[in-house]
């Protein structure tokens, strides 16, 4: 597994870190696609960014990607001294499938600390989770998922194909899907890190993101959610649009505030 590490030029001392998990519906994408953005994020947030090239479905279905991001988090903690990272200030960061993996990783790390071996219990808790348009629910049955069948960048058909590849044919929507694969299925969200969820108006995954935000809040998790008007799934690729600039500015501000607590 490859990771790509970004550190602000001329930065001294220990820095916080962002574990970045790329988008791509669990079946495509890489650290290359977000390279320029991660460079800017590292410099503007003042953090080491570690981007993970996790394994992709269908060649590597669940739980391969989750196993990879758990290993990446464990490696980041183990190498924190050489990377000059403060292991108590690591944020999880993902967009689309990467957001779903970040949510799943937060759940997995919590449960590892609760019931794992001594080494697992020593892993620090991520200090924050940033989930942008996260892919969380394999059941593809929310009102917006049923309605948005031809929206830009993502649609119900794309979601169904993505989950089929990630979980294996015949598994999406069944009672056997674990919360580590589809975090919307989690029944216990207590003890998770504070979260920010960015939601796009014309995104088939809009409802599942808002439902997850509501469930986190009901579990007592410190939470902020923002629904950006006039946007579609991953519409921030249109970087010159005013709403995209607002979203990216807010991303930087939220992460900076979460990682640089006085």
């Amino acid at each position: 597994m490859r990771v790509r590490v970004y550190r602000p030029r001329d930065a001294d001392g220990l820095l916080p870190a962002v574990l970045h998990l790329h988008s791509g519906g669990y079946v495509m994408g890489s650290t290359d696609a977000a390279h320029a953005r991660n460079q800017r994020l590292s410099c503007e947030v003042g953090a080491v960014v570690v981007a993970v090239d996790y394994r992709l479905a269908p060649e590597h279905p669940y739980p391969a990607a989750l196993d990879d991001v758990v290993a990446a988090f464990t490696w980041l903690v183990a190498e924190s001294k050489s990377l000059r990272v403060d292991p108590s200030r690591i944020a999880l960061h993902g967009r689309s499938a990467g957001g779903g993996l970040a949510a799943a990783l937060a759940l997995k790390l919590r449960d590892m600390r609760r019931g794992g071996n001594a080494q697992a219990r020593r892993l620090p808790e991520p200090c924050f989770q940033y989930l942008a348009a996260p892919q969380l629910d394999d059941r593809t049955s929310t009102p917006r998922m049923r309605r948005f069948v031809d929206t830009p960048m993502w649609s119900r058909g794309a979601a169904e194909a993505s989950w089929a590849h990630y979980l294996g044919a015949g598994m999406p929507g069944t009672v056997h899907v674990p919360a580590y694969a589809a975090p919307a299925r989690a029944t216990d969200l207590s003890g998770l890190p504070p979260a920010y969820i960015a939601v796009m108006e014309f995104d088939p995954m809009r409802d599942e993101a808002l439902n997850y935000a509501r469930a986190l809040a009901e579990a007592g998790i410190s939470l902020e959610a923002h629904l950006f008007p006039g946007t579609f799934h991953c519409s921030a690729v249109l970087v010159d649009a005013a709403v995209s600039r607002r979203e990216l500015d807010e991303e930087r501000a939220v992460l900076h505030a979460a990682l640089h607590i006085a």
Side-chain angles (χ1 to χ4, degrees):
M1 180 177 58
R2 181 181 70 161
V3 299
R4 182 175 287 170
V5 180
Y6 305 80
R7 184 181 178 89
R9 185 176 294 170
D10 301 325
D12 295 322
L14 292 180
L15 292 181
V18 175
L19 188 70
H20 169 74
L21 310 176
H22 65 75
S23 61
Y26 301 110
V27 299
M28 57 187 174
S30 71
T31 58
D32 294 332
H35 176 62
R37 188 167 181 174
N38 282 333
Q39 283 182 312
R40 292 194 298 271
L41 194 67
S42 176
C43 293
E44 292 170 358
V45 173
V48 172
V49 173
V50 176
V52 185
D53 259 330
Y54 55 85
R55 287 173 289 174
L56 300 174
E59 293 82 1
H60 304 285
Y62 171 83
L66 180 59
D67 289 344
D68 286 351
V69 299
V70 170
F73 183 88
T74 305
W75 174 84
L76 174 55
V77 172
E79 296 297 323
S80 58
K81 184 175 181 180
S82 63
L83 294 171
R84 291 176 290 163
V85 161
D86 178 357
S88 70
R89 292 186 292 156
I90 300 175
L92 310 181
H93 175 271
R95 184 174 296 272
S96 190
L101 274 175
L105 178 58
L107 288 165
K108 183 71 172 180
L109 291 172
R110 180 203 63 185
D111 293 344
M112 288 170 63
R113 288 191 305 275
R114 284 179 173 178
N117 57 33
Q119 182 178 1
R121 289 195 296 270
R122 285 196 296 268
L123 281 174
E125 178 184 6
C127 70
F128 196 72
Q129 48 181 330
Y130 186 99
L131 316 177
Q135 186 174 354
L136 301 163
D137 195 344
D138 66 292
R139 292 164 290 196
T140 62
S141 60
T142 63
R144 267 58 178 199
M145 184 63 76
R146 291 194 299 268
R147 178 181 173 188
F148 294 155
V149 296
D150 59 354
T151 40
M153 296 291 282
W154 203 248
S155 64
R156 183 181 185 182
E160 290 173 336
S162 169
W163 283 114
H165 287 313
Y166 185 51
L167 298 177
M171 191 175 180
T174 70
V175 297
H176 305 294
V177 176
Y180 295 147
R185 290 178 175 266
T187 57
D188 178 10
L189 298 179
S190 63
L192 292 175
Y196 175 95
I197 301 181
V199 188
M200 307 304 133
E201 182 178 7
F202 298 106
D203 186 345
M205 295 188 289
R206 166 183 161 178
D207 292 344
E208 62 199 68
L210 290 173
N211 291 342
Y212 197 68
R214 185 179 302 109
L216 285 170
E218 290 175 352
I221 305 304
S222 179
L223 172 92
E224 183 176 359
H226 188 152
L227 193 156
F228 289 91
T231 55
F232 51 87
H233 187 70
C234 290
S235 59
V237 295
L238 303 176
V239 293
D240 292 329
V243 70
S244 296
R245 293 197 298 270
R246 284 179 55 206
E247 182 195 344
L248 296 175
D249 287 345
E250 191 160 315
E251 177 185 49
R252 291 187 289 266
V254 165
L255 284 170
H256 190 279
L259 292 170
H260 294 277
I261 300 172

